[in-house]
Amino acid sequence: MRRYFIYLSYDGTDYHGWQIQPNGISVQEELEHALTVLLREPVSITGAGRTDAGVHARMMVAHFDTSQTLDEVQFTYKLNKFLRQSIAVYRITPVADDMHARFSATSRTYRYFVHTRKDPFHTRYSCLLTYPLDFPLMNEAAKILTEYTDFGAFCKSHTDVKTTLCDVTHAEWVQIDDHRWYFEITANRFLRNMVRAVVGTLIEVGRHRLTLEAFRKVIESKQRTSAGESMPGNALFLEDIQY
């Protein structure tokens, strides 16, 4: 068997997330079906992460094993012809047998986009926030994230994670223009729903509903009920994965 990495992006609007679900279509299911049809053998794929329903990926990496030796350029072309427009494959490359799309990754970066003025061209991929926000204060709070390792306060309740420890190396609000911002965060791993919960809590800071000291206490509580609301998934993008 030969192992290949596949680099792709997708618009998550019409999918119930990356992972195969019993009650809705997923990106993983679409890819596995395409690979199985084209290679004429059962193929399963493993992704670098599990984006939730409606969440997008500008870069996702997955691996699959096959008995065949692929012409990577030609097979990438065939795969893109087969897949629907919401999924694009950029590159397929052979890797060592011990390379793993999920466990070999050293970091992942997400961005959450917000806009502060109604705009029909940003509705699909950004979250509209119509109240005043103190972005400098939100950036002060974002820096605090790098001082902690346990993010149980931002983990979706009743999940089967073995640990809530993450190494956050970067967290920052970046201004795009007068009305658009994005929150960027990089870590070795992320918990279920973590980024959207972090953003929701930082927005509480930006609305002056939560002080910096209170933000620290939220993290230290390790309780999801202490943190802010989970923001909508349509504005969240998996941006980069490093190996």
Side-chain angles (χ1 to χ4, degrees), residues 2-40:
R2 298 171 179 84
R3 175 159 292 186
Y4 290 87
F5 265 22
I6 179 169
Y7 293 80
L8 67 146
S9 66
Y10 53 84
D11 180 333
T13 303
D14 299 326
Y15 298 100
H16 287 241
W18 163 265
Q19 191 175 19
I20 290 177
Q21 304 288 332
N23 59 343
I25 191 169
S26 70
V27 180
Q28 182 184 25
E29 179 184 1
E30 287 285 290
L31 271 174
E32 286 192 358
H33 173 66
L35 289 167
T36 296
V37 170
L38 293 175
L39 293 173
R40 299 181 182 180

Side-chain angles (χ1 to χ4, degrees), residues 114-117 119 122 174-181:
V114 302
H115 56 291
T116 57
R117 183 180 67 183
D119 189 321
H122 299 308
V174 178
Q175 186 169 12
I176 302 171
D177 57 34
D178 288 345
H179 306 287
R180 293 187 299 152
W181 295 71

Side-chain angles (χ1 to χ4, degrees), residues 144 147-148 211-221:
I144 292 173
E147 301 174 21
Y148 290 86
T211 65
L212 294 180
E213 186 57 36
F215 182 73
R216 285 185 181 275
K217 289 181 179 178
V218 167
I219 301 173
E220 292 167 0
S221 75

